[in-house]
Amino acid sequence: MPMKPKKIVRPWVKEHKPFERERHSTDFDYNGRKWRKLRLQVLEEKPLCNDCKAEGVVTRATVVDHEPTAKVLISKGLDPYDKQYLFPLCKKHHNAKSGREAHAGGMG
Ligand SMILES: [Zn+2]
C-alpha cells in the first residue's frame, strides 16, 4: 500500500481570505468603473492639488493619488476606495511622486 502524500504545510504562505471578490494580486484596478467614478467624485470635492496647497499655491488637480499607495493599502487589507486615502494632485506633483515610487521599487 503506497503512502498517501501528506498535505504540504507551508506556514510562510498566507491562506487566502475570502474577499468580496477574488483577488490574487495586489494590483489596483485603475481602469475599473468604480475607481473612475470615485476619482471624479474626489476631484469634484477637492479640486485643488494637495501638494500645491501645502506650498501655498493654488493649482487645479487632475489626478487622484493614493497615500499610501494602493498596493500598500491592499496588502494591509485596507480599502483603496476609501476617500481618506485619496488625495488630489496636479500632474506635476503626481509625476514627481510616481517617479519616486518607481525608483523605490528598484526600477528605472
Ligand atoms: Zn501640485
Side-chain angles (χ1 to χ4, degrees):
M1 204 49 188
M3 292 260 286
K4 260 190 183 175
K6 271 187 183 175
K7 196 189 167 208
I8 304 165
V9 180
R10 282 172 282 188
W12 60 91
V13 177
K14 277 187 190 169
E15 267 187 60
H16 281 275
K17 282 183 184 168
F19 253 82
E20 47 182 331
R21 251 190 247 165
E22 256 189 79
R23 269 194 188 281
H24 295 292
S25 74
T26 52
D27 287 335
F28 182 72
D29 184 11
Y30 281 100
N31 293 313
R33 197 180 288 178
K34 191 177 175 181
W35 167 246
R36 281 191 280 179
K37 199 176 160 191
L38 183 66
R39 153 182 191 277
L40 287 174
Q41 267 178 33
V42 171
L43 287 176
E44 243 173 61
E45 284 169 22
K46 305 180 211 170
L48 302 179
C49 170
N50 204 53
D51 283 12
C52 284
K53 212 161 78 182
E55 293 167 11
V57 186
V58 174
T59 310
R60 197 185 161 82
T62 52
V63 193
V64 175
D65 198 46
H66 283 95
E67 183 62 48
T69 64
K71 211 169 182 168
V72 170
L73 289 170
I74 294 167
S75 68
K76 285 185 178 175
L78 299 168
D79 185 7
Y81 295 99
D82 193 323
K83 279 181 190 169
Q84 65 172 305
Y85 306 120
L86 300 174
F87 296 97
L89 290 179
C90 68
K91 206 166 182 181
K92 186 190 91 180
H93 275 120
H94 182 256
N95 286 348
K97 195 163 179 277
S98 33
R100 279 205 304 275
E101 274 159 18
H103 221 75
M107 297 288 285

